[in-house]
Amino acid sequence: MNIGQAAAASGVSAKMIRYYESIGLIPRTVRTESGYRVYSDRDVHTLRFIRRARDLGFSVEQIADLVSLWHDRERASKDVKTIALEHVGVLERKIRELQEMASTLKHLATNCHGDARPHCPIIEELANDEAVPPPLKPDAKFGPLGKSPAR
Amino acid sequence: MNIGQAAAASGVSAKMIRYYESIGLIPRTVRTESGYRVYSDRDVHTLRFIRRARDLGFSVEQIADLVSLWHDRERASKDVKTIALEHVGVLERKIRELQEMASTLKHLATNCHGDARPHCPIIEELANDEAVPPPLKPDAKFGPLGKSPAR
DNA sequence: CTTGACCTTCCCATGATTGGAAGGATTACA
DNA sequence: TGTAATCCTTCCAATCATGGGAAGGTCAAG
């Protein structure tokens, strides 16, 4: 089967299949004489695995780990669970961040008349100089305080 | 004040200040003889505005709109509110997406022993070929039924 | 044999941000 | 005054996962 058919069958675009191959997430496939990539049902199965992991928001790096655990019959389920829970942690942190943004905005919007007049608490809050921006750099070289990702 | 001081005072990195200038979000500043950018308290105020909007997850494009509404004394608060609520919609959609991922994963992880044995519902679900990947592209332009998908 | 749909590789763009190199300017201190 | 440290400048690259598109080769049906 050609790459287009593998793409349709797996839900992973041809572009991404080539990309995954280029970064070593999936092995190089057999080629026809003329250079076309050839895929087996087994390959499609792997691509579907990847697709599902991607849909769950795993990074390519994590997916690589998951695929290798998948193929490892001696794996410890603990290793899989660890990756999954770590990812859950990241997801929940992000969710909380977004929820905070949304609730702040909703609160501001509630107090905004939303009419033709210029008075607007949303703009006012953005322009409010009281809000103290946290220091840009934690002033590096401090002991191991645990990096705060993002921003 | 130099860019570094403006950065410290506003919470926007010098890198980003230059970037915002390059894309026209903020106007080009005055320069010293030797080419150093010079910032006023007013500029810092604008940067703080931007910083706060960014913290609320607005895109640079939206921030540009907000800044221009900010400076427009004739603005209709409706216009600001529209941008804010639109953004809330995006945030909430993303939150729901992430929550779905997290809850699926948590459910799977709950059923995973997380021990040294290989049996793992997480991997099994990822490998589950029943889950149907939604079609990649709506597959436009095909006449009534193109080639047989060789499946 | 032509047509059109497929495939190949290669480069570019996204968004917001950081990192770094090369080199000039300013400041601090001995 | 010399010099080192710390700023500043511009420019280029990388991130992450993905899509767009060009230029050109291949394949199957008509």
Side-chain angles (χ1 to χ4, degrees), chain B residues 98-140:
Chain B
L98 297 182
Q99 279 174 336
E100 242 172 86
M101 293 179 189
S103 89
T104 299
L105 274 173
K106 278 196 287 189
H107 175 71
L108 291 173
T110 297
N111 292 335
C112 173
H113 289 298
D115 55 23
R117 287 170 299 171
H119 169 70
C120 176
I122 302 168
I123 286 282
E124 271 164 30
E125 171 60 22
L126 290 172
N128 168 22
D129 250 353
E130 302 312 312
V132 187
L136 207 48
K137 282 188 178 180
D139 229 343

Side-chain angles (χ1 to χ4, degrees), chain A residues 13 15-16 19-20 34 36 54 59-60:
Chain A
S13 73
K15 279 273 190 194
M16 289 313 296
Y19 171 69
Y20 290 153
S34 51
Y36 283 24
R54 198 192 59 182
S59 69
V60 165

Side-chain angles (χ1 to χ4, degrees), chain B residues 37-95:
Chain B
R37 289 174 180 79
V38 175
Y39 296 88
S40 67
D41 286 350
R42 213 174 168 288
D43 295 327
V44 169
H45 194 208
T46 298
L47 287 169
R48 287 181 171 217
F49 181 98
I50 290 169
R51 169 74 201 278
R52 256 168 251 119
R54 197 192 60 180
D55 284 347
L56 287 171
F58 285 102
S59 69
V60 166
E61 201 186 346
Q62 288 174 313
I63 294 176
D65 291 343
L66 290 171
V67 168
S68 116
L69 285 170
W70 178 35
H71 291 142
D72 175 9
R73 290 198 199 153
E74 315 276 312
R75 68 171 166 262
S77 63
K78 191 185 69 154
D79 293 340
V80 180
K81 191 168 180 171
T82 297
I83 294 176
L85 289 182
E86 201 172 298
H87 182 45
V88 168
V90 172
L91 289 174
E92 294 189 330
R93 212 170 313 136
K94 184 151 259 168
I95 288 168

Side-chain angles (χ1 to χ4, degrees), chain A residues 68 83 96:
Chain A
S68 115
I83 294 176
R96 253 176 281 121

